[in-house]
Amino acid sequence: MLPNALTKNALSAIALNPAALSPNPLTWAGLSSNARAALQNPGSNGALSRELLRYIVSCALRPDQSFSFSWNDRGAVRSETYRGDLGIADWWVYGPLADPFYQRWMSGCLASRTNWYGVSVLISLRSSQPFMSSGAAERDSYTVREGAFWGNLFSSTPYLRACYSPAGVARARALQRDCAAGHVDVDPATGATTTQACGPIAIVGSCDTVCNGVSTNGGFYFQCLENPAISSTVRTDQVVTSFLPP
């Protein structure tokens, strides 16, 4: 039986760096020398690289798969083992992630698990794909539709987009989930209220405006506008919808 998409999010916005992503095989040998050096860096940049890899593995691999490596922390050897969860691209360990279809699902998964505050919140991720299916118990426990995420971090011009469900904004912010609607802050110089995006995730507005078709069995969006700033007709169905507990 496939695992459902009930998963924790705590990928910080600063760690979600498109430049750090590669479609190379998801194995230690498959990583470039620069990627391996970044993962073994004992400083703060190394911590961000390891955080991103942990979430990549969680989105891509199955629970019975893992990614292991070690690094030297100023004389102490640290061993890391990151386990899979959703299994979006479990075959990535055998070859490159070259298919844009899976690149986009991986990108939506990573975007949906990004958190402005870096805190861990249990969320339900849903889509039309079996790797993000949900059972009745999960749907009953996670009833607040937060928003939707899509894009492609592996393309030559990486991008991510998100929209928010208006009815879920207050609950999302109460749980410190700001990446669908944007992080609200106050400019100390002017006192003006500002809304900031989470890293590379561009917020395109209300999902009620940019998405259409909601599944009666899961509540997820079937399609959203690929880029509302350019076209009001071109849509993508590779969309990850996130849900929160009430």
Side-chain angles (χ1 to χ4, degrees):
M1 185 175 76
L2 289 169
N4 63 29
L6 196 62
T7 183
K8 287 185 177 181
N9 80 285
L11 177 60
S12 64
I14 194 172
L16 187 59
N17 178 9
L21 293 169
S22 168
N24 291 344
L26 192 56
T27 62
W28 186 253
L31 298 179
S32 68
S33 58
N34 287 341
R36 291 196 294 267
L39 290 167
Q40 292 179 318
N41 184 329
S44 59
N45 288 338
L48 291 174
S49 297
R50 290 186 290 274
E51 180 183 355
L52 178 58
L53 178 62
R54 181 163 61 89
Y55 277 90
I56 290 173
V57 171
S58 178
C59 286
L61 303 187
R62 303 186 310 268
D64 63 332
Q65 295 175 297
S66 62
F67 187 110
S68 298
F69 67 100
S70 60
W71 55 286
N72 193 306
D73 184 9
R74 299 173 180 84
V77 176
R78 307 293 186 189
S79 296
E80 306 280 347
T81 295
Y82 304 146
R83 301 208 169 274
D85 186 5
L86 300 183
I88 292 174
D90 56 355
W91 42 264
W92 194 0
V93 296
Y94 303 111
L97 187 72
D99 189 336
F101 178 84
Y102 290 101
Q103 290 178 351
R104 291 174 65 86
W105 282 118
M106 279 294 304
S107 299
C109 180
L110 290 171
S112 68
R113 299 179 71 179
T114 303
N115 186 293
W116 178 277
Y117 299 95
V119 300
S120 183
V121 181
L122 203 58
I123 58 177
S124 173
L125 302 182
R126 304 176 202 170
S127 76
S128 59
Q129 299 300 305
F131 45 69
M132 288 185 189
S133 60
S134 60
E138 180 177 333
R139 294 193 295 272
D140 288 345
S141 297
Y142 293 79
T143 57
V144 179
R145 185 165 50 226
E146 175 192 33
F149 302 83
W150 64 95
N152 191 340
L153 288 167
F154 300 86
S155 68
S156 57
T157 53
Y159 66 97
L160 290 173
R161 298 188 179 100
C163 63
Y164 58 86
S165 175
V169 172
R171 181 57 177 156
R173 289 191 170 137
L175 291 174
Q176 295 187 301
R177 284 273 301 177
D178 283 4
C179 293
H183 177 69
V184 175
D185 206 350
V186 176
D187 187 326
T190 65
T193 299
T194 61
T195 302
Q196 303 176 50
C198 292
I201 304 174
I203 301 168
V204 299
S206 166
C207 296
D208 291 350
T209 301
V210 302
C211 301
N212 66 0
V214 175
S215 167
T216 57
N217 185 23
F220 54 83
Y221 296 106
F222 284 118
Q223 292 183 328
C224 297
L225 291 175
E226 175 61 50
N227 186 352
I230 293 177
S231 172
S232 61
T233 58
V234 178
R235 297 182 177 273
T236 177
D237 57 5
Q238 290 147 44
V239 175
V240 177
T241 305
S242 56
F243 287 78
L244 307 170

